[in-house]
Amino acid sequence: KQWYQRRLAITAGGKRLCVLENKFTLKGHRKSPTSLAITDTHLFSSSKDGAIIKWDISTGKKVTVVKHDSKKQILALAASSDNMYLASGGEDKMIILWDIASMTFVKCFRKHRGAITALAFRRNSHLLMSGSTDRSVILWNCDDKLYIESLYGHQDIVTGMDSFLQERVVTVGGQDKTLRLWKIQEESQLVFNGHKNTVIDCVSMLNEEHFVTGSQDNVLCVWHIKKKKPAITELKAHAKGSWISAVAALKNTECFISGSNGGNVKIWACAETYRSMALIKSIEVVGTVNSIVIPQDNSCFVLGVGQEPKMGRWWCNKDARNRVLVYPMVIEDEEVNR
């Protein structure tokens, strides 16, 4: 075991995050993985080859493969926290709802005028949110299989989104350089600005008040709901010239993971005051990290790594392999193995 020597406020007592050495690789996609979703027992990966693969997370074995009828690229996945529904979307402008147990078709949602680029379920709910190249965010009721409403404000592609316990969703708008928090019940939105002259690619919620974003100019920002500017800005977060292409937070902790095309994945921890952050560990990964997911029990983190970026073909790293990497981890008392 390799211990990261920063205390994380997971519970009232001191805790430490341990990433185990026995990572494993899942191979099945012919082209670059684009998105991941995870439940307690299963992992789902999508790719530019149009396939959605369901994996048994405990064994690493492939369970089944499904595709949209159009067979076009799948760019976004989301799984409901009760393991009932998987949502997928991509270049065909449709959102397909699948029954997770059987991986059978449930419903097709059509409303977006552009490709589906981001999906998220509210925790403990079947409220689904979607983002698109048409710059809109749409809410869906997956219990009644109904469209709810469209939210407008972004001036560019919705490149990422996340939701947690409350009826809210955070989104980032690519070249419009904004982070937006949509308060659904209040029918309002908060607009945050901080990334300059760049494209914001990804966002993840640490908790209901703090979020992290990553951008193509190699900058990470941590935000507080009551401040329109970043609480923390980390310049040159990855290797020189890197695009930060994915972030994922361990919910209700100060810890998050960022990935890029620069050859590594980094684990970070914010100070309890959220005024500074520190690098905990850097792990070498060859290729572009297009997606990172962490299950609710924080038992692992999973990377979708490919030769190409999710949204285009600006580069192709021939040294990389299109694959999914699973890193088991545990969170234990500080006193363990001292």
Side-chain angles (χ1 to χ4, degrees):
K1 294 182 179 181
Q2 186 174 19
W3 291 93
Y4 302 139
Q5 300 298 320
R6 184 179 179 84
R7 188 178 72 82
L8 303 176
I10 305 297
T11 65
K15 298 287 181 178
R16 288 189 182 183
L17 170 66
C18 173
V19 177
L20 307 182
E21 294 178 354
N22 59 328
K23 75 171 185 185
F24 54 96
T25 303
L26 308 180
K27 299 178 181 179
H29 289 293
R30 293 182 295 105
K31 296 183 179 181
S32 296
T34 54
S35 186
L36 301 170
I38 196 167
T39 68
D40 295 337
T41 57
H42 291 94
L43 171 70
F44 305 89
S45 60
S46 67
S47 166
K48 290 185 174 184
D49 59 20
I52 302 167
I53 301 179
K54 178 181 179 181
W55 308 87
D56 185 318
I57 195 66
S58 61
T59 65
K61 292 183 178 180
K62 188 187 301 183
V63 178
T64 190
V65 181
V66 296
K67 291 187 176 184
H68 287 206
D69 289 341
S70 68
K71 298 183 180 179
K72 291 187 176 182
Q73 293 184 12
I74 306 299
L75 300 174
L77 295 175
S80 61
S81 57
D82 64 354
N83 304 333
M84 182 173 291
Y85 294 125
L86 174 74
S88 61
E91 289 186 337
D92 58 11
K93 307 175 187 178
M94 298 183 296
I95 300 168
I96 304 297
L97 199 64
W98 309 87
D99 176 86
I100 282 182
S102 62
M103 286 305 291
T104 54
F105 172 89
V106 175
K107 179 70 176 179
C108 176
F109 293 126
R110 300 173 185 264
K111 194 73 175 179
H112 283 291
R113 293 175 286 104
I116 312 302
T117 51
L119 291 166
F121 276 99
R122 179 190 175 195
R123 181 76 65 89
N124 303 326
S125 166
H126 290 156
L127 174 65
L128 174 67
M129 286 75 74
S130 60
S132 168
T133 58
D134 66 12
R135 301 182 289 184
S136 70
V137 175
I138 295 183
L139 311 180
W140 309 90
N141 182 330
C142 292
D143 288 321
D144 299 325
K145 316 299 186 293
L146 295 174
Y147 161 82
I148 300 175
E149 65 174 321
S150 298
L151 307 176
Y152 298 100
H154 279 299
Q155 302 302 307
D156 194 41
I157 298 170
V158 179
T159 50
M161 63 169 43
D162 196 18
S163 185
F164 195 27
L165 296 171
Q166 295 187 30
E167 201 165 335
R168 297 174 174 176
V169 59
V170 290
T171 59
V172 288
Q175 293 187 23
D176 78 5
K177 307 176 188 64
T178 65
L179 164 70
R180 293 173 188 258
L181 173 67
W182 308 83
K183 297 182 178 181
I184 296 169
Q185 285 188 330
E186 294 91 333
E187 297 185 348
S188 65
Q189 60 175 294
L190 301 177
V191 182
F192 303 82
N193 295 279
H195 291 276
K196 304 294 185 182
N197 304 316
T198 187
V199 176
I200 310 176
D201 267 351
C202 46
V203 62
S204 185
M205 300 181 73
L206 288 153
N207 50 49
E208 297 292 353
E209 294 188 342
H210 295 92
F211 331 112
V212 58
T213 55
S215 61
Q216 291 183 9
D217 63 350
N218 199 17
V219 173
L220 286 168
C221 291
V222 178
W223 308 77
H224 188 278
I225 191 174
K226 294 183 178 180
K227 296 180 179 180
K228 294 299 181 73
K229 299 293 182 180
I232 307 171
T233 299
E234 184 73 20
L235 303 175
K236 301 178 182 179
H238 283 252
K240 183 178 180 180
S242 296
W243 286 18
I244 297 176
S245 48
V247 291
L250 283 76
K251 302 300 187 193
N252 285 331
T253 78
E254 294 94 14
C255 188
F256 67 90
I257 302 168
S258 63
S260 71
N261 66 337
N264 53 28
V265 165
K266 294 190 175 184
I267 303 174
W268 306 84
C270 301
E272 293 182 8
T273 58
Y274 287 96
R275 293 181 179 178
S276 63
M277 58 188 259
L279 175 64
I280 305 305
K281 184 67 177 179
S282 178
I283 301 172
E284 182 178 353
V285 176
V286 179
T288 301
V289 180
N290 286 322
S291 184
I292 307 173
V293 291
I294 303 170
Q296 294 184 55
D297 62 2
N298 294 331
S299 59
C300 65
F301 65 90
V302 186
L303 312 177
V305 184
Q307 295 179 332
E308 300 174 353
K310 168 182 173 179
M311 297 293 291
R313 300 192 66 186
W314 298 287
W315 62 81
C316 181
N317 185 345
K318 296 296 185 180
D319 294 328
R321 296 292 179 266
N322 298 319
R323 66 206 189 280
V324 175
L325 300 176
V326 181
Y327 291 82
M329 62 182 177
V330 294
I331 298 171
E332 297 179 350
D333 293 333
E334 257 188 333
E335 291 77 14
V336 176
N337 285 349
R338 274 192 169 183

